[in-house]
Amino acid sequence: RYMRRLESKDIALNQAMIPLGSCTMKLNATAEMIPVTWPEFANMHPFAPTDQTKGYQILLEQLEQMLITCTGYDAMSLQPNAGSQGEYAGLLAIRRYHESRGDHHRTICLIPSSAHGTNPASAVMAGMSVVMVACDNHGNVDMNDLRAKVEQYSDTLAAIMVTYPSTHGVFEEEIVALCDLIHQHGGQVYVDGANLNALVGIAAPGKFGADVSHLNLHKTFCIPHGGGGPGMGPIGVGAHLAPFLPSHPISPVGSLPATNDTVSSAPFGSASILPISWVYIRLMGAEGLRLASQVAILSANYIAHRLKGHYPVLYTGKSGTVAHECIIDIRPIKEHSGISEEDIAKRLMDFGFHAPTMSFPVAGTLMIEPTESESLAELDRFCDALITIRDEIRKVETGEFDAEDNPLKNAPHTALEIASDDWSHAYTREQAVYPLPSLRSAKYWPPVNRVDNVYGDRNLVCSCPPIESYVQ
Ligand SMILES: *Cc1c(COP(=O)(O)O)cnc(C)c1O
């Protein structure tokens, strides 16, 4: 009951879609989750003698092979515990590769401005220096700026880290030319595979020119995530990088030397959650995986299409379409109405939705990724919520709602607040908590009002009792 009480406070996927762009919050089938509870998987010690881990070895080998097929690479490492750890492992492999050829001075890592924050962080941890590359008006890597940068750093270029499709929600049309250009200047191409949910079964980074990628198994391959983990971020590499994959000093991985870099304390990372991805891939099959990617792209385009008359969609490709996610631009709306992306994110809770990704990769925007998991009815419910919110913003613009005391600025609304004897707001209780009739039959109640994020960040609250309280 305690667990159930906690659960009801949370907007999880069992209540509504979680449209977090770049995070790929897809549904996880119970069948995929069950093996995690089996003691044979759950209770294995990471350093158990190999003659006692034969089943695990088969699982790891098969999963590696399936991921190799999905990505078009030649080898895979199941050691990294997260996408960010995969980045670190992949960049280390690139460094060791350059060093093996005497290119110790190749330490420049080019990173487009659309990149996830982990990209530059990993590059710095791998001992590289980051050079930013600009993006053009359509969200693609600016090829002119890239050409200038590769010329400038031709002798010291180690790598580029590029996300494909990009976090701007578009397929970089020049991706093949981009890979060629980097190779011509002696660099390696790291394709951040976090957005693989738009690619599996359709295109493979190992085939279009990349040398290494991480896969977020907790995004594309169904391991549930949120609240920080657990995850798995295996990397795929071309044959030339395979000798530099992570190994382990106590328990060397495959035929790799024990002296190779190690990125996780266990040789196979969080191995116990790998059965989830194994079951997902086996249940879906090649056809199913391709269909999932297609439906994910279709769903994102459906949302972009329904919303574009209400919110500007920031980036689209040549044909006016997006990849598996879309960014809506709140900056012009904020300028006009004073309603910010955060107000919209908080108001969505009153409609029973988790907010999309906010202000990444572009400040003042919301990035929406529906994934293939969601039904048309749920996509429509989400669009209806955002369109109703746009109508509310219009009421602020026209003065029908007060600029400060309105349902958006005060969102989310708790049951306690609504039930309180003194309701002093300039709008009704009904407008606050039942903005759409459909909410009457299924209402999520946020457990707390809006918190002051900035205040919280700046004022550490320690709930530890003082040491004196232990005296008696
Ligand atoms: C999620 C994500 C990462 C980092 O992956 P983690 O598993 O969270 O460390 C890197 N790049 C992009 C584009 C992502 O969306």
Side-chain angles (χ1 to χ4, degrees):
R1 285 173 190 158
Y2 174 65
M3 297 300 283
R4 180 65 186 79
R5 212 176 302 150
L6 292 182
E7 186 203 330
S8 69
K9 291 184 177 187
D10 195 20
I11 304 187
L13 281 167
N14 59 357
Q15 303 227 28
M17 69 189 271
I18 300 186
L20 274 178
S22 209
C23 291
T24 311
M25 301 293 287
K26 55 167 82 181
L27 282 166
N28 319 98
T30 305
E32 291 155 11
M33 302 296 297
I34 285 173
V36 175
T37 68
W38 295 343
E40 291 87 344
F41 287 121
N43 298 346
M44 184 64 77
H45 193 280
F47 298 113
T50 48
D51 64 338
Q52 294 175 27
T53 62
K54 285 188 179 145
Y56 247 115
Q57 288 165 39
I58 293 170
L59 174 102
L60 300 180
E61 258 172 54
Q62 291 184 349
L63 183 60
E64 263 180 43
Q65 279 311 314
M66 294 190 285
L67 295 176
I68 283 172
T69 307
C70 287
T71 55
Y73 285 112
D74 300 310
M76 189 66 56
S77 166
L78 295 176
Q79 188 173 103
N81 264 313
S84 44
Q85 244 180 41
E87 293 169 22
Y88 178 59
L91 292 175
L92 284 180
I94 290 175
R95 279 213 77 178
R96 303 296 171 242
Y97 167 76
H98 286 313
E99 285 164 8
S100 74
R101 296 154 49 96
D103 286 341
H104 294 262
H105 54 283
R106 288 199 174 270
T107 55
I108 295 291
C109 185
L110 301 177
I111 300 184
S113 57
S114 56
H116 193 268
T118 50
N119 289 188
S122 300
V124 170
M125 280 186 68
M128 295 185 180
S129 309
V130 174
V131 173
M132 261 317 159
V133 181
C135 284
D136 65 19
N137 295 339
H138 303 289
N140 299 300
V141 174
D142 181 337
M143 289 300 282
N144 289 327
D145 190 45
L146 181 66
R147 263 178 229 110
K149 296 273 159 65
V150 291
E151 293 291 344
Q152 186 182 350
Y153 297 103
S154 191
D155 295 337
T156 51
L157 183 63
I160 189 169
M161 294 184 89
V162 56
T163 307
Y164 183 83
S166 86
T167 54
H168 284 163
V170 289
F171 290 98
E172 306 267 353
E173 294 204 11
E174 299 279 351
I175 188 71
V176 173
L178 182 153
C179 295
D180 286 348
L181 184 65
I182 298 297
H183 289 141
Q184 279 160 25
H185 289 267
Q188 292 281 293
V189 178
Y190 187 106
V191 163
D192 180 327
N195 291 340
L196 213 71
N197 212 43
L199 288 187
V200 179
I202 298 172
K207 298 281 187 226
F208 59 66
D211 301 291
V212 45
S213 292
H214 74 258
L215 287 61
N216 301 65
L217 298 190
H218 48 290
K219 294 180 183 172
T220 316
F221 294 95
C222 266
I223 295 176
H225 62 130
M232 273 300 279
I235 56 171
V237 294
H240 61 294
L241 293 180
F244 309 106
L245 285 174
S247 186
H248 202 280
I250 295 169
S251 176
V253 174
S255 56
L256 293 168
T259 50
N260 271 20
D261 295 299
T262 306
V263 299
S264 162
S265 48
F268 296 100
S270 304
S272 69
I273 54 176
L274 291 174
I276 303 170
S277 297
W278 187 96
V279 175
Y280 170 66
I281 296 173
R282 291 300 291 257
L283 286 178
M284 294 290 276
E287 287 282 296
L289 290 174
R290 179 183 303 119
L291 186 62
S293 304
Q294 290 167 337
V295 174
I297 295 170
L298 183 64
S299 297
N301 277 285
Y302 179 78
I303 288 184
H305 195 79
R306 267 207 72 189
L307 293 182
K308 73 180 177 201
H310 307 273
Y311 299 90
V313 174
L314 190 57
Y315 297 118
T316 52
K318 259 194 212 135
S319 52
T321 51
V322 297
H324 64 307
E325 58 197 9
C326 68
I327 299 180
I328 57 173
D329 195 355
I330 312 302
R331 291 169 297 185
I333 293 171
K334 184 178 174 186
E335 213 165 283
H336 223 240
S337 64
I339 299 300
S340 70
E341 69 283 5
E342 188 177 2
D343 297 327
I344 296 173
K346 302 291 184 187
R347 183 62 171 150
L348 273 170
M349 282 191 230
D350 285 331
F351 288 80
F353 283 105
H354 193 291
T357 294
M358 200 177 80
S359 289
F360 168 77
V362 183
T365 65
L366 295 172
M367 176 160 58
I368 302 164
E369 177 181 1
T371 84
E372 73 281 8
S373 301
E374 300 304 337
S375 64
L376 183 58
E378 182 69 355
L379 299 182
D380 276 332
R381 203 171 72 84
F382 178 71
C383 292
D384 291 343
L386 271 177
I387 292 168
T388 307
I389 289 174
R390 185 66 188 91
D391 290 338
E392 292 181 343
I393 297 171
R394 222 163 271 124
K395 289 186 182 152
V396 177
E397 287 168 338
T398 60
E400 191 176 328
F401 276 150
D402 183 81
E404 286 307 317
D405 189 14
N406 60 58
L408 294 136
K409 286 280 175 207
N410 294 329
H413 298 84
T414 60
L416 200 64
E417 195 183 3
I418 293 303
S420 153
D421 286 339
D422 46 334
W423 174 263
S424 56
H425 294 302
Y427 53 95
T428 68
R429 289 173 159 100
E430 194 171 12
Q431 282 173 318
V433 298
Y434 291 115
L436 276 178
S438 57
L439 291 167
R440 281 161 213 265
S441 58
K443 172 70 185 167
Y444 165 76
W445 289 101
V448 288
N449 288 109
R450 193 181 301 207
V451 293
D452 184 338
N453 295 334
V454 176
Y455 182 89
D457 287 349
R458 289 185 183 159
N459 293 275
L460 178 68
V461 178
C462 181
S463 60
C464 326
I467 191 79
E468 292 77 29
S469 69
Y470 292 93
V471 167
Q472 80 264 65

